[in-house]
Amino acid sequence: MNINFPIEVTVKKRYSVRNYKDQAIESDKQKAIESFIDSLENPFGPHVAFHTLDLKSGPTAQKLGTYGVIKGASHYIGTTITLEPMALEALGYEFEALVLYLADLGLGTCWLGGTFDRQSFSNAMKIEAGEIFPIITPYGYAADHKHFKEKAMRKLIKADQRKEWNQLFFSDDFQSPLSEATAGDLAFALEMVRLGPSASNKQPWRIILNDSGCHFYEYKEPGYSKAFAYDIQRVDMGIAAAHFDFSMKEKNIDGHFVTSAQPEIDLPKNVEYVFSWIRA
């Protein structure tokens, strides 16, 4: 997988597009997207399968349910996994890589985890029985104007706001907020994590920096994942891993992810260890 786009520019360029132009995507871009999907990989191990759907190549009357959230889209990408340890994080990592790649190509996307009709999309994408189908995105050229429901949704979830550093990043324990100065050469990667997208903009990532590395925790929003057979916020943790990893590679700082380096510290309520990044 070749991440050859500028991380900060692309992270800031990406936003959730819910209203699309009736404009064809050029064939060379489609081929580049297919090639990038084929190259996707993740540092956690589980396999993530991608499924594409072009509504204009099939029956034009075909309607798929996004509950009025998405307007005008004719291209979709979905993902499936086998539910195993770190599979949701692997999905988040790879899918965010693709979303950023599409943003770099000038195409809009919108993560959909709860606002799409899984059955209709499963049928259209020929998803096999037993596969977990957590996420899809439309993709295409953004319309010139946002529709009313799009504006209302962005306002509801405060889509353009992010938590401050002292709410997300800590030094040694959860009682000591981490400053950008103390973070040193990790500050850029942490800021890119802070700017990442998440389901309903919940921003569940919490990170502790200590002498052994960066340790990623999930703040489990009470009741948020009860509608799913899995913890959908683990996908958000994969997004955080992607932003962190791509940023570190851009800065030529070597390291790797592990899932067995949990520090021995007291955890706040509803906070759970997920993985760590260890400097090489």
Side-chain angles (χ1 to χ4, degrees):
M1 181 172 65
N2 186 16
I3 304 297
N4 59 4
F5 44 79
I7 301 305
E8 183 173 11
V9 170
T10 310
V11 165
K12 291 181 176 180
K13 180 180 182 179
R14 185 223 64 85
Y15 69 97
S16 295
V17 174
R18 297 176 175 88
N19 195 21
Y20 291 83
K21 288 181 180 179
D22 183 13
Q23 178 179 341
I25 299 173
E26 299 83 348
S27 60
D28 60 331
K29 283 191 179 181
Q30 288 284 31
K31 290 178 181 177
I33 293 165
E34 292 170 6
S35 179
F36 189 79
I37 289 173
D38 288 341
S39 77
L40 285 167
E41 57 188 2
N42 70 81
F44 302 116
H47 174 69
V48 181
F50 286 78
H51 312 266
T52 58
L53 182 63
D54 180 357
L55 298 185
K56 291 195 173 181
S57 68
T60 56
Q62 184 175 14
K63 299 293 183 182
L64 299 176
T66 59
Y67 309 111
V69 172
I70 304 300
K71 303 286 187 184
S74 57
H75 297 278
Y76 287 87
I77 299 172
T79 52
T80 56
I81 54 171
T82 299
L83 200 55
E84 59 181 299
M86 301 306 293
L88 290 162
E89 292 85 350
L91 184 155
Y93 182 101
E94 291 193 24
F95 204 76
E96 180 64 359
L98 176 57
V99 162
L100 292 176
Y101 180 74
L102 292 168
D104 185 59
L105 292 180
L107 298 172
T109 57
C110 184
W111 284 79
L112 299 177
T115 53
F116 72 99
D117 183 339
R118 275 183 173 73
Q119 190 58 58
S120 66
F121 275 94
S122 292
N123 293 339
M125 291 181 170
K126 299 180 172 55
I127 304 300
E128 297 289 337
E131 291 183 283
I132 305 299
F133 184 31
I135 300 293
I136 65 169
T137 184
Y139 68 100
Y141 291 101
D144 295 329
H145 303 287
K146 296 179 176 68
H147 61 73
F148 172 78
K149 185 171 282 191
E150 181 172 18
K151 292 179 181 178
M153 182 170 291
R154 291 186 66 82
K155 184 176 181 180
L156 178 66
I157 66 173
K158 300 179 180 180
D160 298 315
Q161 298 181 25
R162 294 293 186 271
K163 289 179 169 43
E164 298 298 328
W165 264 64
N166 61 7
Q167 297 175 280
L168 300 174
F169 309 132
F170 303 88
S171 179
D172 294 319
D173 57 49
F174 280 101
Q175 285 72 51
S176 307
L178 177 71
S179 69
E180 293 187 52
T182 303
D185 61 359
L186 301 183
F188 173 70
L190 292 172
E191 176 64 7
M192 292 304 101
V193 171
R194 190 182 75 87
L195 297 178
S198 57
S200 299
N201 200 26
K202 295 293 185 182
Q203 305 160 66
W205 39 77
R206 304 290 185 270
I207 299 176
I208 283 184
L209 174 61
N210 64 16
D211 290 341
S212 65
C214 278
H215 308 280
F216 289 68
Y217 296 78
E218 175 198 4
Y219 172 70
K220 301 170 77 69
E221 185 76 22
Y224 186 73
S225 293
K226 66 181 180 181
F228 303 91
Y230 44 83
D231 181 1
I232 198 168
Q233 290 187 293
R234 287 300 181 106
V235 175
D236 297 335
M237 296 305 299
I239 295 172
H243 280 217
F244 188 89
D245 198 27
F246 302 158
S247 299
M248 298 303 278
K249 288 175 179 175
E250 183 174 274
K251 298 297 185 182
N252 295 312
I253 301 173
D254 293 331
H256 61 279
F257 289 102
V258 298
T259 58
S260 57
Q262 180 176 4
E264 293 185 4
I265 58 173
D266 293 331
L267 301 184
K269 186 178 180 180
N270 300 320
V271 170
E272 183 174 283
Y273 173 76
V274 185
F275 54 80
S276 298
W277 181 89
I278 306 301
R279 191 189 290 262

